[in-house]
Amino acid sequence: MLLEAPFTEAKVRALRVGDVVEITGLLLTGRDAVHKYLHDGGTPPVELKNSIIYHCGPVVVKEKGKWVVKAAGPTTSIREEPYQGPLMEQYGIRGVIGKGGMGPKTLAACKKVGACYFHAVGGAAQVLAQKVVRVPAVHMLEEFGSPEAIWEFEVVKFPVVVTMDSHGDSLHAKVEAASSKALDRLIR
Amino acid sequence: MDAKTLQARLLELIRRTSCEMPPDMIRAVDKAWRREKKDTTAKYAMGVMRDNIKLAATLSQPLCQDTGTIVCYVDRPDWIRERVFTTAFERAVVEATRKGYLRQNSVDSITGKNSGNNLGPGSPVIHFHETAGKAMTVRIMLKGGGSENVSTQYALPDNRLGAGRDLEGVRKCVLDAVHLAQGKGCGPGILGVCVGGDRATGYVSAKEQFFRDLDDKNEDEVLSKLEQSLLADANSLGIGPMGFGGGTTLLGVKLTARNRVPASFYVTVAYMCWAYRRNGFKISENGRVGRWLYN
């Protein structure tokens, strides 16, 4: 199914765990440095209301004066678990794209704010980079370095799976619980 | 071979490693894709991986944006000095970074500053071994942070797992590590496991297993059997590709053993993501690349 900008609460509330979604609109990359900066009270250099944050440290090079994305898969999201929930609530962030899933704090914020966690296929840097049609701007490049900067990615049909929804469901919690039982059978 | 030629050959090795999956791994990913059930997120994820492998090779761009820690192993014949190789390799790394085959991935741990060219204390990592042979063998591995973060080390006995100082204890540790990793290491993963050694050599030996051919058979009969049973057991956990659930949690398990001191019994589990980037070649003194490994 499609999710197109503007990313409204109603559109995101309609999504459920297991949905394969293609996103069209603007994504903002943000990972460790950005999350810590915002959580410490730093001023966001871009509007975050109704935004989708992409946990990604891309390879971007300048060709003929234009930014070109050479690789842009997701990074592990759980590192942002201490920051993500509070930032979602403070700024009205509508979704997060990453890999590996996030914990109970983020899941609770998704429910409260009306947001989703979207899982991109980790390591699929080329399939995902192909969906970035334009890089309108970059922020905090000098301060944080290229992988940690806030890149604006205009994407078309960016493929993700909803693994945490705004109704309290988490695929990660389910798989963890089931595999935990299976492990017990194998080693206890 | 002059320094420029060596640098160019090494640049090509880095490019291939970053952009092209080795054939043994392509076969494993295809097999897993065929095995996963229709209309599942597991099958979908494996399909995206297959598309990505093809696309990266066609575009000559990195399979994954996290081009990882650059680890290089050199079997060094008499005709080349370590210093000469290191200089050529570092120049190739800088060039590969400029061309976008490698991400700017070397960060000062104290100041947080990115060096911007992948050089710095400890990067890249180069291991030299002397060889009596005529050709130089160069192998490289690009190991991403996600997979490195879920790599782990156990000291036996482990009370939490009820794991004793024997192969059954080793088995419990390995399966626990797979469970703890869930999808965070970008599975389906490949494990390199070292039984024994000290804390440092445990990790080194575990990672060296990734230079083995995925389809090889362990020469040690006991370890070979354990590799097979661990692979089957791990896949019965149901974690699946990317942790979405499914039948493919691992694509391979490679074990090795090192002697230990009587007081210590470490089990070191190194995790490699599905975007398994390692390659290598044999190169002669005149600069001719004789053979690519893993084909």
Side-chain angles (χ1 to χ4, degrees), chain A:
Chain A
M1 65 183 66
L2 298 175
L3 174 63
E4 289 174 329
F7 308 123
T8 60
E9 180 171 354
K11 286 182 193 172
V12 173
R13 289 267 184 209
L15 300 173
R16 296 282 180 163
V17 159
D19 287 347
V20 176
V21 177
E22 292 180 328
I23 301 176
T24 297
L26 192 75
L27 307 180
L28 303 171
T29 71
R31 43 181 293 165
D32 309 73
V34 170
H35 283 81
K36 187 173 184 315
Y37 165 82
L38 292 174
H39 192 257
D40 288 350
T43 311
V46 275
E47 177 60 49
L48 296 177
K49 179 127 185 81
N50 291 331
S51 66
I52 294 181
I53 304 287
Y54 182 21
H55 295 158
C56 169
V59 178
V60 188
V61 296
K62 208 162 212 177
E63 284 175 359
K64 294 174 191 156
K66 268 190 175 168
W67 293 112
V68 180
V69 179
K70 293 283 182 181
T75 190
T76 306
S77 299
I78 196 70
R79 295 193 305 271
E80 318 314 338
E81 179 66 7
Y83 317 121
Q84 199 69 69
L87 292 178
M88 275 179 160
E89 292 184 25
Q90 186 180 348
Y91 292 108
I93 293 168
R94 195 56 68 203
V96 166
I97 304 173
K99 73 174 173 82
M102 300 190 77
K105 243 174 110 172
T106 305
L107 187 61
C110 284
K111 197 171 176 180
K112 193 170 165 191
V113 178
C116 273
Y117 179 83
F118 301 100
H119 201 303
V121 173
Q126 289 311 321
V127 167
L128 298 170
Q130 288 271 302
K131 310 296 179 188
V132 183
V133 293
R134 209 165 66 89
V135 183
V138 58
H139 310 273
M140 314 200 79
L141 179 60
E142 197 49 44
E143 294 91 323
F144 296 151
S146 177
E148 296 273 1
I150 301 176
W151 294 92
E152 294 188 13
F153 285 174
E154 206 177 293
V155 300
V156 174
K157 294 193 170 181
F158 190 92
V160 290
V161 178
V162 177
T163 58
M164 293 162 65
D165 64 23
S166 63
H167 308 280
D169 271 344
S170 164
L171 178 67
H172 306 286
K174 277 183 195 153
V175 171
E176 211 286 331
S179 61
S180 191
K181 272 193 190 152
L183 180 69
D184 273 351
R185 284 196 295 274
L186 285 170
I187 73 171
R188 301 292 172 195

Side-chain angles (χ1 to χ4, degrees), chain A residues 57 73 122-123 126-127 179 186, chain B residues 52 61-63 65 103 171 182 274:
Chain A
Q126 289 311 321
V127 167
S179 61
L186 285 170
Chain B
N52 194 67
Q61 290 183 176
L63 277 153
Q65 78 290 338
R103 184 174 71 179
R171 182 179 158 271
Q182 292 290 305
W274 71 265

Side-chain angles (χ1 to χ4, degrees), chain B residues 127 153 194 196-207 258 266 268:
Chain B
H127 297 269
Q153 191 167 59
C194 178
D198 66 9
R199 285 200 185 269
T201 58
Y203 271 117
V204 170
S205 303
K207 277 194 187 179
R258 310 289 293 175
Y266 297 114
T268 310

Side-chain angles (χ1 to χ4, degrees), chain B residues 51-66:
Chain B
D51 293 346
N52 194 67
I53 291 167
K54 285 182 205 128
L55 200 54
T58 309
L59 298 173
S60 193
Q61 290 183 176
L63 277 153
C64 174
Q65 78 290 338
D66 185 358

